[in-house]
Amino acid sequence: MTLSSLSSHELDFIDDDEFHEECGVVGIWTTQDAASLTALGLHALQHRGQEASGIVTYDGNQFHTHRGLGLVGEVFDDPRVIASLPGGMGIGHNRYATTGETQLRNVQPLYGDFEFGGFAVAHNGNLTNAQLLKQSLVRRGCLFQSSTDSEVFIHLIAISLYSNVIDRFIDAIKQVQGAYSLVALSKDMLIAARDPLGVRPLILGKLPYIQDENSWVVASETCALSSMGADFVRDIEPGEVIIIDHDGVRSIHPFADNTSSRFCIFEYVYFARPDSVIENKSVYMARKKIGAELAKESHVEADVVVPVPDSGVPAAIGYAEASNIPFELGIIRSHYIGRTFIEPTDQIRNLGVKLKHATNRAVINGKRVILIDDSIVRGTTSKKIVEMVRAAGAIEVHLRIASPPTQHSCFYGIDTPAEEKLLAHTHSIDEMCKLIGADSLGFVSADGLYRALQEDKRNNQNPQYCDACFTGDYPIPLTDHDMQLVKSK
């Protein structure tokens, strides 16, 4: 195996025991420099996808596109690339593959020439009936150029019998199942849409410093607005379609009353950037409150609270404040490891956590340590971190997790292992604790997680969030998955 033959998943072997983000999308409607603004937004959303990035712009006469594999700073590192993307309207996309391999043909935004002109689309989420729709579309003569489920939107729009762009777009989204936050660009308008349950985030912002008052931003998170000096206007609602054109912003609700909010609860636990505000909640404060609930539910006597960086930091602060135990950075994370240049042999895999994390012996040696992390996936990273902390002199190591046990796979846009590879799916908490090597192990309860998000508790008849990875309660049909199960029997 040579380095050039490694897939991105193999190159990311250090992170193979973590959940990976879905994708990030940005849309710009203004009168100048859409590409630069879009790139700034994508930089801020880099945490949502690190495999590939792309931008499509329109200058009033023609569309321009640039897509590439790698981080935003790698794909758009040459000023000549941004200069090759003129125009005041644009959309951009950061990708982490949940469907389709990592190849240039799968990099978004996807673009097509239609009878009404050019059309580009960028998608965050995952369609649960994409394979069924693809089979039908192929039978009708559609030729797929990628292996990503997002291309289904392009073909559904292409074959629609409606005459205008918006009606074709709505016709398409009414045929898909799953989670989607979409931004799309035609020569006349920027379109943004969320699925009827609003599983993935999408927000609307305003560019106040640009002379044209009709200058707007659509993005996955508010942190993207901050990076380009835009003001937050509001969350786009579940099932809502936003149209931005030369007349301003208008809203359509094509799903009538068949909408409700089942926003992904794991955005608050891990995926969103801490400085974002989503659904009127500060992500950072939500994580602190989760840590406080964790302290109430599974407190243990100890000398120091230590986060597993970086995602465990806010919850650890909340835990420390609620328990009156000192917070210390007992584990230091390297932010410069990136994708290793070393071929991932078994020996190097075993050293992977040490390349990424180092213990701060001065605050651990001789102490009873409470480790705070956001989740446990396979458990291999947790085991190695516990071993590292013990090797640094900890006399006790108690692991506390700022989410309920992850027992089920996600089918709505988050890259998770199959259920049989999730440690919590196959083991009890006591068994997990023994395998990881901690003195004790505790998770925040589902009710505790909901309380931290300002709900009394989880309503079993009408849960307020999508929490399927914890409960197995999937709010959107898993059509393709169920078909595969039937075929395998």
mmCIF file of all heavy atoms in Angstrom, residues 176-206:
data_model
loop_
_atom_site.group_PDB
_atom_site.id
_atom_site.type_symbol
_atom_site.label_atom_id
_atom_site.label_comp_id
_atom_site.label_asym_id
_atom_site.label_seq_id
_atom_site.Cartn_x
_atom_site.Cartn_y
_atom_site.Cartn_z
ATOM 1 N N VAL A 176 -38.090 13.379 -2.133
ATOM 2 C CA VAL A 176 -36.991 12.781 -1.375
ATOM 3 C C VAL A 176 -37.387 12.596 0.081
ATOM 4 O O VAL A 176 -38.228 13.315 0.620
ATOM 5 C CB VAL A 176 -35.708 13.634 -1.471
ATOM 6 C CG1 VAL A 176 -35.265 13.795 -2.918
ATOM 7 C CG2 VAL A 176 -35.889 14.995 -0.810
ATOM 8 N N GLN A 177 -36.766 11.598 0.697
ATOM 9 C CA GLN A 177 -36.870 11.386 2.138
ATOM 10 C C GLN A 177 -35.469 11.555 2.733
ATOM 11 O O GLN A 177 -34.469 11.299 2.076
ATOM 12 C CB GLN A 177 -37.371 9.973 2.455
ATOM 13 C CG GLN A 177 -38.764 9.674 1.964
ATOM 14 C CD GLN A 177 -39.127 8.206 2.152
ATOM 15 O OE1 GLN A 177 -38.269 7.361 2.406
ATOM 16 N NE2 GLN A 177 -40.401 7.899 2.034
ATOM 17 N N GLY A 178 -35.440 11.982 3.977
ATOM 18 C CA GLY A 178 -34.152 12.102 4.635
ATOM 19 C C GLY A 178 -33.926 13.489 5.182
ATOM 20 O O GLY A 178 -34.849 14.298 5.315
ATOM 21 N N ALA A 179 -32.667 13.766 5.495
ATOM 22 C CA ALA A 179 -32.284 15.055 6.061
ATOM 23 C C ALA A 179 -31.576 15.868 5.000
ATOM 24 O O ALA A 179 -30.695 15.367 4.312
ATOM 25 C CB ALA A 179 -31.372 14.842 7.267
ATOM 26 N N TYR A 180 -31.972 17.108 4.847
ATOM 27 C CA TYR A 180 -31.268 17.960 3.903
ATOM 28 C C TYR A 180 -31.390 19.421 4.307
ATOM 29 O O TYR A 180 -32.438 19.905 4.698
ATOM 30 C CB TYR A 180 -31.790 17.779 2.467
ATOM 31 C CG TYR A 180 -33.274 18.009 2.266
ATOM 32 C CD1 TYR A 180 -33.796 19.291 2.088
ATOM 33 C CD2 TYR A 180 -34.161 16.935 2.252
ATOM 34 C CE1 TYR A 180 -35.138 19.499 1.889
ATOM 35 C CE2 TYR A 180 -35.521 17.137 2.065
ATOM 36 C CZ TYR A 180 -36.011 18.415 1.881
ATOM 37 O OH TYR A 180 -37.361 18.625 1.698
ATOM 38 N N SER A 181 -30.258 20.091 4.276
ATOM 39 C CA SER A 181 -30.207 21.542 4.213
ATOM 40 C C SER A 181 -29.538 21.856 2.887
ATOM 41 O O SER A 181 -28.410 21.426 2.632
ATOM 42 C CB SER A 181 -29.415 22.130 5.380
ATOM 43 O OG SER A 181 -30.163 22.069 6.572
ATOM 44 N N LEU A 182 -30.238 22.607 2.035
ATOM 45 C CA LEU A 182 -29.803 22.830 0.667
ATOM 46 C C LEU A 182 -29.579 24.309 0.391
ATOM 47 O O LEU A 182 -30.322 25.160 0.883
ATOM 48 C CB LEU A 182 -30.871 22.333 -0.325
ATOM 49 C CG LEU A 182 -31.193 20.844 -0.366
ATOM 50 C CD1 LEU A 182 -32.451 20.616 -1.198
ATOM 51 C CD2 LEU A 182 -30.034 20.065 -0.957
ATOM 52 N N VAL A 183 -28.546 24.593 -0.380
ATOM 53 C CA VAL A 183 -28.439 25.901 -1.038
ATOM 54 C C VAL A 183 -28.298 25.619 -2.526
ATOM 55 O O VAL A 183 -27.593 24.689 -2.931
ATOM 56 C CB VAL A 183 -27.259 26.744 -0.514
ATOM 57 C CG1 VAL A 183 -27.496 27.176 0.921
ATOM 58 C CG2 VAL A 183 -25.941 26.017 -0.645
ATOM 59 N N ALA A 184 -28.985 26.412 -3.346
ATOM 60 C CA ALA A 184 -28.968 26.208 -4.792
ATOM 61 C C ALA A 184 -28.904 27.567 -5.472
ATOM 62 O O ALA A 184 -29.381 28.576 -4.933
ATOM 63 C CB ALA A 184 -30.208 25.439 -5.249
ATOM 64 N N LEU A 185 -28.316 27.580 -6.664
ATOM 65 C CA LEU A 185 -28.105 28.830 -7.388
ATOM 66 C C LEU A 185 -28.507 28.673 -8.841
ATOM 67 O O LEU A 185 -28.054 27.759 -9.536
ATOM 68 C CB LEU A 185 -26.622 29.225 -7.311
ATOM 69 C CG LEU A 185 -26.222 30.556 -7.952
ATOM 70 C CD1 LEU A 185 -26.840 31.729 -7.187
ATOM 71 C CD2 LEU A 185 -24.698 30.678 -7.995
ATOM 72 N N SER A 186 -29.380 29.561 -9.299
ATOM 73 C CA SER A 186 -29.685 29.691 -10.725
ATOM 74 C C SER A 186 -29.258 31.090 -11.152
ATOM 75 O O SER A 186 -28.773 31.883 -10.341
ATOM 76 C CB SER A 186 -31.173 29.474 -10.997
ATOM 77 O OG SER A 186 -31.929 30.609 -10.589
ATOM 78 N N LYS A 187 -29.454 31.421 -12.414
ATOM 79 C CA LYS A 187 -29.035 32.742 -12.886
ATOM 80 C C LYS A 187 -29.904 33.859 -12.332
ATOM 81 O O LYS A 187 -29.529 35.048 -12.401
ATOM 82 C CB LYS A 187 -29.039 32.782 -14.418
ATOM 83 C CG LYS A 187 -30.389 32.548 -15.059
ATOM 84 C CD LYS A 187 -30.257 32.511 -16.575
ATOM 85 C CE LYS A 187 -31.596 32.231 -17.253
ATOM 86 N NZ LYS A 187 -32.574 33.311 -17.047
ATOM 87 N N ASP A 188 -31.037 33.509 -11.755
ATOM 88 C CA ASP A 188 -31.967 34.528 -11.279
ATOM 89 C C ASP A 188 -32.153 34.550 -9.765
ATOM 90 O O ASP A 188 -32.733 35.501 -9.240
ATOM 91 C CB ASP A 188 -33.353 34.312 -11.910
ATOM 92 C CG ASP A 188 -33.306 34.437 -13.414
ATOM 93 O OD1 ASP A 188 -32.665 35.387 -13.900
ATOM 94 O OD2 ASP A 188 -33.899 33.578 -14.096
ATOM 95 N N MET A 189 -31.695 33.519 -9.066
ATOM 96 C CA MET A 189 -32.031 33.442 -7.645
ATOM 97 C C MET A 189 -31.099 32.504 -6.878
ATOM 98 O O MET A 189 -30.452 31.617 -7.442
ATOM 99 C CB MET A 189 -33.477 32.976 -7.462
ATOM 100 C CG MET A 189 -33.745 31.560 -7.936
ATOM 101 S SD MET A 189 -35.504 31.151 -7.944
ATOM 102 C CE MET A 189 -36.083 32.147 -9.321
ATOM 103 N N LEU A 190 -31.072 32.741 -5.563
ATOM 104 C CA LEU A 190 -30.450 31.839 -4.602
ATOM 105 C C LEU A 190 -31.572 31.184 -3.816
ATOM 106 O O LEU A 190 -32.497 31.871 -3.348
ATOM 107 C CB LEU A 190 -29.525 32.631 -3.662
ATOM 108 C CG LEU A 190 -28.887 31.875 -2.496
ATOM 109 C CD1 LEU A 190 -27.851 30.878 -3.003
ATOM 110 C CD2 LEU A 190 -28.227 32.855 -1.521
ATOM 111 N N ILE A 191 -31.517 29.865 -3.685
ATOM 112 C CA ILE A 191 -32.566 29.112 -2.993
ATOM 113 C C ILE A 191 -31.947 28.400 -1.796
ATOM 114 O O ILE A 191 -30.834 27.868 -1.879
ATOM 115 C CB ILE A 191 -33.220 28.069 -3.923
ATOM 116 C CG1 ILE A 191 -33.705 28.719 -5.214
ATOM 117 C CG2 ILE A 191 -34.377 27.370 -3.219
ATOM 118 C CD1 ILE A 191 -34.135 27.724 -6.276
ATOM 119 N N ALA A 192 -32.661 28.389 -0.679
ATOM 120 C CA ALA A 192 -32.240 27.641 0.504
ATOM 121 C C ALA A 192 -33.434 26.868 1.039
ATOM 122 O O ALA A 192 -34.569 27.358 0.990
ATOM 123 C CB ALA A 192 -31.696 28.579 1.573
ATOM 124 N N ALA A 193 -33.195 25.652 1.539
ATOM 125 C CA ALA A 193 -34.312 24.829 2.011
ATOM 126 C C ALA A 193 -33.849 23.861 3.082
ATOM 127 O O ALA A 193 -32.713 23.371 3.053
ATOM 128 C CB ALA A 193 -34.934 24.054 0.848
ATOM 129 N N ARG A 194 -34.753 23.584 4.024
ATOM 130 C CA ARG A 194 -34.543 22.542 5.038
ATOM 131 C C ARG A 194 -35.624 21.481 4.893
ATOM 132 O O ARG A 194 -36.744 21.769 4.468
ATOM 133 C CB ARG A 194 -34.599 23.111 6.458
ATOM 134 C CG ARG A 194 -33.393 23.942 6.848
ATOM 135 C CD ARG A 194 -33.561 24.510 8.245
ATOM 136 N NE ARG A 194 -33.244 23.540 9.285
ATOM 137 C CZ ARG A 194 -33.428 23.764 10.587
ATOM 138 N NH1 ARG A 194 -33.966 24.918 10.983
ATOM 139 N NH2 ARG A 194 -33.103 22.853 11.475
ATOM 140 N N ASP A 195 -35.278 20.260 5.296
ATOM 141 C CA ASP A 195 -36.267 19.184 5.238
ATOM 142 C C ASP A 195 -37.391 19.452 6.238
ATOM 143 O O ASP A 195 -37.248 20.289 7.139
ATOM 144 C CB ASP A 195 -35.594 17.833 5.510
ATOM 145 C CG ASP A 195 -35.094 17.707 6.937
ATOM 146 O OD1 ASP A 195 -35.923 17.494 7.839
ATOM 147 O OD2 ASP A 195 -33.878 17.832 7.160
ATOM 148 N N PRO A 196 -38.532 18.762 6.096
ATOM 149 C CA PRO A 196 -39.699 19.074 6.930
ATOM 150 C C PRO A 196 -39.488 18.925 8.428
ATOM 151 O O PRO A 196 -40.248 19.498 9.218
ATOM 152 C CB PRO A 196 -40.764 18.080 6.421
ATOM 153 C CG PRO A 196 -40.375 17.813 5.011
ATOM 154 C CD PRO A 196 -38.876 17.821 5.007
ATOM 155 N N LEU A 197 -38.466 18.164 8.860
ATOM 156 C CA LEU A 197 -38.190 18.028 10.285
ATOM 157 C C LEU A 197 -37.002 18.884 10.724
ATOM 158 O O LEU A 197 -36.669 18.912 11.911
ATOM 159 C CB LEU A 197 -37.935 16.558 10.648
ATOM 160 C CG LEU A 197 -39.113 15.596 10.428
ATOM 161 C CD1 LEU A 197 -38.762 14.202 10.923
ATOM 162 C CD2 LEU A 197 -40.372 16.095 11.126
ATOM 163 N N GLY A 198 -36.357 19.549 9.797
ATOM 164 C CA GLY A 198 -35.253 20.442 10.154
ATOM 165 C C GLY A 198 -34.128 19.745 10.883
ATOM 166 O O GLY A 198 -33.575 20.283 11.850
ATOM 167 N N VAL A 199 -33.737 18.553 10.424
ATOM 168 C CA VAL A 199 -32.724 17.765 11.124
ATOM 169 C C VAL A 199 -31.367 18.462 11.110
ATOM 170 O O VAL A 199 -30.662 18.518 12.112
ATOM 171 C CB VAL A 199 -32.620 16.356 10.502
ATOM 172 C CG1 VAL A 199 -31.498 15.554 11.165
ATOM 173 C CG2 VAL A 199 -33.944 15.618 10.638
ATOM 174 N N ARG A 200 -30.992 18.991 9.956
ATOM 175 C CA ARG A 200 -29.699 19.677 9.826
ATOM 176 C C ARG A 200 -29.908 21.193 9.920
ATOM 177 O O ARG A 200 -30.952 21.702 9.534
ATOM 178 C CB ARG A 200 -29.045 19.325 8.499
ATOM 179 C CG ARG A 200 -28.848 17.823 8.254
ATOM 180 C CD ARG A 200 -27.431 17.387 8.582
ATOM 181 N NE ARG A 200 -27.112 17.413 9.995
ATOM 182 C CZ ARG A 200 -27.356 16.412 10.838
ATOM 183 N NH1 ARG A 200 -27.917 15.317 10.416
ATOM 184 N NH2 ARG A 200 -27.008 16.529 12.103
ATOM 185 N N PRO A 201 -28.901 21.927 10.404
ATOM 186 C CA PRO A 201 -29.077 23.368 10.608
ATOM 187 C C PRO A 201 -28.947 24.182 9.324
ATOM 188 O O PRO A 201 -28.265 23.786 8.382
ATOM 189 C CB PRO A 201 -27.939 23.718 11.575
ATOM 190 C CG PRO A 201 -26.860 22.720 11.249
ATOM 191 C CD PRO A 201 -27.591 21.450 10.887
ATOM 192 N N LEU A 202 -29.588 25.347 9.298
ATOM 193 C CA LEU A 202 -29.455 26.303 8.195
ATOM 194 C C LEU A 202 -29.990 27.647 8.677
ATOM 195 O O LEU A 202 -31.079 27.717 9.247
ATOM 196 C CB LEU A 202 -30.227 25.833 6.958
ATOM 197 C CG LEU A 202 -29.877 26.514 5.632
ATOM 198 C CD1 LEU A 202 -28.428 26.257 5.236
ATOM 199 C CD2 LEU A 202 -30.802 26.053 4.518
ATOM 200 N N ILE A 203 -29.207 28.706 8.458
ATOM 201 C CA ILE A 203 -29.584 30.022 8.981
ATOM 202 C C ILE A 203 -29.477 31.088 7.888
ATOM 203 O O ILE A 203 -28.781 30.911 6.896
ATOM 204 C CB ILE A 203 -28.738 30.404 10.217
ATOM 205 C CG1 ILE A 203 -27.223 30.299 9.919
ATOM 206 C CG2 ILE A 203 -29.090 29.519 11.401
ATOM 207 C CD1 ILE A 203 -26.580 31.568 9.517
ATOM 208 N N LEU A 204 -30.182 32.196 8.126
ATOM 209 C CA LEU A 204 -30.198 33.329 7.203
ATOM 210 C C LEU A 204 -29.512 34.510 7.864
ATOM 211 O O LEU A 204 -29.754 34.810 9.043
ATOM 212 C CB LEU A 204 -31.638 33.703 6.843
ATOM 213 C CG LEU A 204 -31.847 34.927 5.942
ATOM 214 C CD1 LEU A 204 -31.321 34.656 4.539
ATOM 215 C CD2 LEU A 204 -33.332 35.307 5.905
ATOM 216 N N GLY A 205 -28.627 35.184 7.107
ATOM 217 C CA GLY A 205 -27.931 36.352 7.624
ATOM 218 C C GLY A 205 -27.942 37.496 6.632
ATOM 219 O O GLY A 205 -28.344 37.341 5.470
ATOM 220 N N LYS A 206 -27.479 38.658 7.086
ATOM 221 C CA LYS A 206 -27.485 39.880 6.280
ATOM 222 C C LYS A 206 -26.085 40.486 6.288
ATOM 223 O O LYS A 206 -25.385 40.444 7.296
ATOM 224 C CB LYS A 206 -28.483 40.877 6.876
ATOM 225 C CG LYS A 206 -28.770 42.095 5.995
ATOM 226 C CD LYS A 206 -29.828 41.784 4.979
ATOM 227 C CE LYS A 206 -30.354 43.042 4.284
ATOM 228 N NZ LYS A 206 -29.352 43.847 3.596
#
